[in-house]
Amino acid sequence: MAGSSVKPTPLLKDELDIVIPTIRNLDFLEMWRPFFEQYHLIIVQDGDPSKIIKVPDGFDYELYNRNDINRILGPKASCISFKDSACRCFGYMVSKKKYIYTIDDDCFVAKNPSGELINALEQHIKNLLSPSTPFFFNTLYDPYREGADFVRGYPFSLREGAPTAVSHGLWLNIPDYDAPTQLVKPRERNTRYVDAVLTVPKGTLFPMCGMNLGFNRELIGPAMYFGLMGDGQPIGRYDDMWAGWCMKVICDHMGWGVKTGLPYIWHSKASNPFVNLKKEYKGIYWQEDLIPFFQSAVLPKECVTVQQCYIELAKQVKEKLGKVDPYFIKLADAMVTWIEAWDELNSSGEKSSKSTSK
Amino acid sequence: MAGSSVKPTPLLKDELDIVIPTIRNLDFLEMWRPFFEQYHLIIVQDGDPSKIIKVPDGFDYELYNRNDINRILGPKASCISFKDSACRCFGYMVSKKKYIYTIDDDCFVAKNPSGELINALEQHIKNLLSPSTPFFFNTLYDPYREGADFVRGYPFSLREGAPTAVSHGLWLNIPDYDAPTQLVKPRERNTRYVDAVLTVPKGTLFPMCGMNLGFNRELIGPAMYFGLMGDGQPIGRYDDMWAGWCMKVICDHMGWGVKTGLPYIWHSKASNPFVNLKKEYKGIYWQEDLIPFFQSAVLPKECVTVQQCYIELAKQVKEKLGKVDPYFIKLADAMVTWIEAWDELNSSGEKSSKSTSK
């Protein structure tokens, strides 16, 4: 192959969509060109649908704006958030691929400590294609990685691991802090490259950030609902958190794994902490009730599909979190609508129409 | 202070003992001199008590051989293993300090990726003096470390953390593999320096290795019993695992944290895999029962001290693991003896006598 100009086929080329929520021209894709160009992009345009989003030449994409979402989902479009990056989950719904990678448009290619550009997507794919270890902790981190293995004392019956549903990547430069922490530590930057991937153990919740996230859509897609955020809602910036907590409870029930760690992307710009505080402040006190709720949530054995699990969770949200705030009753209803819409779009072999294609 | 020849007082100088189990002269201490010399060492001599163990000049130490252990504990000495590094836990018992650091005599000073020698003890002390986060996972690892914090979505009520009971350090070069893995991968070396400390979440078990281990003796000391191993026992190389599983169940019950990750030491030499296989093989199949046992072990609310927890755990070991093998009945009795001996040595203000002191 030496001297050949044939590009190697990228991993999972025909099995993975990249989902990008945005309100602006996607110039950030230029830096990702060598890594993303051979994949298909699903762009979910947030905000004013009359605005034209420019996508750099050479990318294969479909783009949905609010009008498309309303047309495709009809009344069920109410479950998709507006003026919030939570709208990205519409892209998960219309994809027909096995895997999804989603990334924010203010994220750039990071460098590893040797100065090499990090192919984040490739690392996510590695994470998703190798098993997880949710039932017992391996002190040398990912035992399936080259040069590593299970350590002494790790039960042999658990060494086959579990299917991996989610790969949660991290961020160099601007860390994913909440508004109070942003306000207190405006200059803090994440400069530490931790060369590890690890499985979040069964029974443990974590804060899932949607900035740099891969998942197996065939396994866990219907649980990746990013909730009701933004326009007309009392809360923002909890879309990915909500999805992460629901998803984790369901993965634990189904016996699937969730990884966090590598790959890093370069998060270029901190969002405005004052704006964030306004979006977050209800979430900051609600989460004190949400975490105990999700920590103690139990799904009955009868729930054997993600859809069944999710509908059951919606029921429990309504019953138990409805007392915290009426917002959660509305959210629980939207969770049910989301599953109905998911099944509608995903039961037939038909591909939903789109406004722009290349 | 520039130009001063006064050495800075090492952290916790009067509050920490270093415990070393050994069968040979402690030449390895030469490399540790700059880091250990100002601390007190407790050396537990394993095997033939007539053999003289040489300790390099300048170290402050006490040394116990089998005769000392028998003399100090009387009939209760039966709970301390012979011809196995499990004997090290005798050192935890006779110490009167708040913290313990224990290290194997084939472990040397490792270097970080910048080529600097790693002060492992200093990192353990940092780990032990800062809180843990067992109740929720922080994706940027230790939130108390400089340059890090809790990420968005981490409940504020949990940000004070929990007291840290144990700091489990790792190993570069020879990884801590079981005999089958050693046999299959004789050339594997751990070369990956993962720059992270993380809390093993509540409810999650892990394989605790005794090679490079710090703990708060005042908090968790009575649970750090390394079991019956070696001479006259059907098993070896599960001493630290046993302690780790018992300790973790008790820390989870008490609301304390256990950290793993940094610091690394340089593990110089793999032990003989054939000898290890002989020691381990019963453990390898027993652990398939042990892990579910410890994963489902529940301690009643009435257990409010580590001693009470440990006695209760011994009872459950006898009841439930006694069916797996009669060895566990003997082990459960030894667990009770250990607590009796611990309380005997630790209730009065008297310091137990020793054979050698410097």
Side-chain angles (χ1 to χ4, degrees):
Chain A
M1 294 291 286
S4 162
S5 65
V6 179
K7 277 189 187 174
T9 306
L11 282 162
L12 302 182
K13 178 180 174 348
D14 300 319
E15 297 181 75
L16 183 140
D17 281 336
I18 299 176
V19 173
I20 305 165
T22 193
I23 53 167
R24 55 186 147 186
N25 295 335
L26 291 179
D27 305 327
F28 92 113
L29 283 172
E30 283 301 351
M31 196 182 186
W32 287 104
R33 189 179 288 279
F35 307 115
F36 288 178
E37 202 175 13
Q38 293 186 66
Y39 291 91
H40 181 69
L41 313 181
I42 297 178
I43 299 162
V44 185
Q45 179 178 348
D46 196 17
D48 181 5
S50 69
K51 191 177 164 185
I52 303 297
I53 300 285
K54 283 187 199 152
V55 181
D57 283 346
F59 284 94
D60 170 50
Y61 70 96
E62 51 193 303
L63 185 150
Y64 300 91
N65 64 31
R66 189 70 209 181
N67 295 337
D68 300 315
I69 296 172
N70 289 341
R71 180 170 43 78
I72 292 166
L73 294 184
K76 294 196 179 72
S78 62
C79 74
I80 303 297
S81 298
F82 188 47
K83 296 193 180 168
D84 191 286
S85 71
C87 68
R88 75 173 82 206
C89 65
F90 179 75
Y92 313 157
M93 193 183 254
V94 294
S95 168
K96 292 289 170 281
K97 304 282 175 64
K98 185 170 179 183
Y99 298 96
I100 296 285
Y101 174 54
T102 185
I103 182 170
D104 279 5
D105 63 8
D106 63 347
C107 292
F108 294 88
V109 182
K111 287 181 180 171
N112 68 20
S114 310
E116 297 151 351
L117 295 175
I118 298 167
N119 185 343
L121 185 47
E122 184 183 41
Q123 179 67 48
H124 277 294
I125 291 170
K126 282 183 185 171
N127 294 349
L128 290 167
L129 293 183
S130 63
S132 291
T133 54
F135 310 116
F136 199 79
F137 188 90
N138 193 50
T139 51
L140 286 186
Y141 311 100
D142 180 1
Y144 305 107
R145 191 168 169 185
E146 207 178 328
D149 212 310
F150 293 96
V151 300
R152 183 170 55 94
Y154 203 103
F156 277 82
S157 64
L158 295 178
R159 294 190 187 195
E160 282 188 32
T164 302
V166 172
S167 167
H168 177 258
L170 299 175
W171 344 276
L172 289 172
N173 195 37
I174 306 289
D176 186 31
Y177 286 164
D178 48 56
T181 309
Q182 281 185 296
L183 289 165
V184 172
K185 292 179 153 184
R187 287 161 184 260
E188 192 151 288
R189 297 293 179 268
N190 186 25
T191 58
R192 184 177 305 122
Y193 181 94
V194 175
D195 187 12
V197 178
L198 54 107
T199 299
V200 183
K202 184 179 177 181
T204 299
L205 294 176
F206 77 109
M208 185 180 82
C209 171
M211 235 190 282
N212 169 27
L213 183 70
F215 61 92
N216 183 325
R217 185 182 165 279
E218 250 178 46
L219 275 187
I220 198 66
M224 293 299 259
Y225 175 46
F226 273 45
L228 292 176
M229 303 282 147
D231 196 49
Q233 309 301 340
I235 184 175
R237 283 173 58 84
Y238 273 85
D239 53 339
D240 41 7
M241 298 298 141
W242 183 260
W245 297 327
C246 292
M247 170 281 291
K248 188 60 170 55
V249 166
I250 293 173
C251 283
D252 285 350
H253 175 77
M254 301 294 277
W256 299 331
V258 174
K259 293 181 184 176
T260 183
L262 301 182
Y264 286 93
I265 51 79
W266 180 265
H267 186 206
S268 63
K269 201 173 155 239
S271 44
N272 184 314
F274 299 98
V275 174
N276 290 347
L277 189 61
K278 192 178 165 190
K279 292 178 180 174
E280 282 175 13
Y281 78 97
K282 281 179 191 281
I284 284 171
Y285 64 85
W286 283 345
Q287 74 188 0
E288 300 294 337
D289 288 311
L290 299 183
I291 298 309
F293 165 75
F294 283 108
Q295 281 176 336
S296 62
V298 177
L299 299 171
K301 279 182 194 170
E302 291 70 36
C303 294
V304 294
T305 68
V306 172
Q307 277 90 335
Q308 287 167 350
C309 290
Y310 203 75
I311 295 289
E312 167 64 26
L313 204 51
K315 204 181 93 191
Q316 296 183 19
V317 166
K318 187 174 261 186
E319 277 171 21
K320 297 190 180 161
L321 296 179
K323 296 170 202 160
V324 174
D325 194 277
Y327 165 72
F328 291 99
I329 296 172
K330 197 166 60 164
L331 178 54
D333 289 336
M335 290 168 74
V336 174
T337 305
W338 158 264
I339 292 293
E340 290 168 355
W342 181 281
D343 285 344
E344 221 171 271
L345 288 186
N346 287 281
S347 57
S348 78
E350 277 177 32
K351 176 107 184 159
S352 55
S353 66
K354 49 193 190 286
S355 62
T356 311
S357 183
K358 188 153 191 293
Chain B
M1 295 292 287
S4 163
S5 66
V6 179
K7 280 189 186 174
T9 306
L11 283 163
L12 303 182
K13 178 180 175 344
D14 300 318
E15 296 181 75
L16 183 140
D17 281 335
I18 299 175
V19 173
I20 305 165
T22 195
I23 53 167
R24 55 187 147 188
N25 295 334
L26 293 178
D27 304 327
F28 92 112
L29 283 173
E30 283 301 350
M31 196 183 187
W32 287 104
R33 189 179 287 278
F35 307 115
F36 288 178
E37 202 175 13
Q38 293 187 67
Y39 290 91
H40 181 69
L41 313 181
I42 298 178
I43 299 161
V44 186
Q45 179 178 350
D46 196 15
D48 180 5
S50 69
K51 193 179 163 185
I52 303 297
I53 301 284
K54 283 187 198 152
V55 180
D57 283 345
F59 284 95
D60 169 50
Y61 70 96
E62 52 194 301
L63 185 151
Y64 299 90
N65 63 29
R66 190 70 209 181
N67 295 336
D68 300 315
I69 296 172
N70 290 341
R71 180 170 43 79
I72 292 166
L73 294 185
K76 296 197 178 72
S78 62
C79 73
I80 303 297
S81 298
F82 187 46
K83 296 194 179 168
D84 192 286
S85 73
C87 67
R88 76 174 83 207
C89 65
F90 178 77
Y92 313 157
M93 193 183 255
V94 294
S95 167
K96 293 288 169 281
K97 304 282 175 64
K98 185 170 179 184
Y99 299 96
I100 295 285
Y101 174 54
T102 184
I103 182 170
D104 280 4
D105 62 8
D106 62 348
C107 293
F108 294 87
V109 181
K111 288 180 179 174
N112 69 19
S114 311
E116 297 151 350
L117 296 175
I118 298 167
N119 185 344
L121 185 47
E122 184 183 39
Q123 180 67 49
H124 277 293
I125 291 169
K126 282 183 186 172
N127 293 348
L128 290 167
L129 293 183
S130 63
S132 292
T133 54
F135 309 117
F136 199 79
F137 188 90
N138 194 50
T139 51
L140 288 186
Y141 311 100
D142 179 3
Y144 304 107
R145 192 168 167 185
E146 207 178 327
D149 212 310
F150 293 96
V151 300
R152 181 170 58 92
Y154 203 103
F156 278 82
S157 63
L158 297 177
R159 296 192 185 192
E160 282 188 33
T164 302
V166 172
S167 167
H168 178 258
L170 299 175
W171 344 275
L172 289 172
N173 194 37
I174 306 289
D176 186 31
Y177 287 164
D178 48 56
T181 309
Q182 280 186 297
L183 288 164
V184 171
K185 293 180 153 183
R187 287 160 184 263
E188 192 151 289
R189 298 291 179 268
N190 186 25
T191 58
R192 185 177 304 121
Y193 182 93
V194 175
D195 188 12
V197 177
L198 54 104
T199 298
V200 183
K202 184 178 177 182
T204 298
L205 293 176
F206 77 110
M208 185 180 83
C209 171
M211 235 190 286
N212 171 26
L213 183 70
F215 61 92
N216 183 325
R217 185 182 165 278
E218 248 178 46
L219 275 187
I220 199 65
M224 293 301 258
Y225 175 45
F226 272 44
L228 292 177
M229 303 282 148
D231 197 49
Q233 308 300 340
I235 185 175
R237 282 171 60 83
Y238 273 85
D239 51 339
D240 41 7
M241 298 298 142
W242 184 260
W245 298 326
C246 292
M247 169 281 290
K248 188 60 168 53
V249 167
I250 294 172
C251 282
D252 285 351
H253 174 79
M254 300 294 279
W256 299 331
V258 174
K259 292 181 185 176
T260 183
L262 301 181
Y264 287 93
I265 52 78
W266 179 265
H267 186 205
S268 63
K269 201 172 154 238
S271 43
N272 184 313
F274 300 98
V275 173
N276 290 348
L277 189 61
K278 193 178 163 190
K279 292 178 180 174
E280 283 175 11
Y281 78 96
K282 282 180 191 278
I284 284 172
Y285 65 83
W286 284 345
Q287 74 188 359
E288 299 294 337
D289 288 311
L290 299 183
I291 299 309
F293 165 77
F294 283 110
Q295 281 177 335
S296 61
V298 177
L299 300 171
K301 278 184 193 168
E302 291 69 38
C303 294
V304 295
T305 68
V306 172
Q307 277 90 332
Q308 287 167 351
C309 291
Y310 203 74
I311 294 289
E312 168 65 25
L313 203 52
K315 204 180 93 192
Q316 297 183 19
V317 166
K318 186 175 262 187
E319 276 170 21
K320 297 190 179 162
L321 296 179
K323 297 170 202 160
V324 173
D325 194 277
Y327 164 72
F328 291 100
I329 296 172
K330 197 166 62 166
L331 178 55
D333 289 337
M335 290 168 75
V336 174
T337 305
W338 158 265
I339 292 293
E340 289 169 356
W342 181 283
D343 284 345
E344 220 172 272
L345 288 186
N346 287 280
S347 58
S348 77
E350 276 177 32
K351 175 109 181 157
S352 55
S353 67
K354 51 193 188 286
S355 63
T356 310
S357 182
K358 187 152 195 294

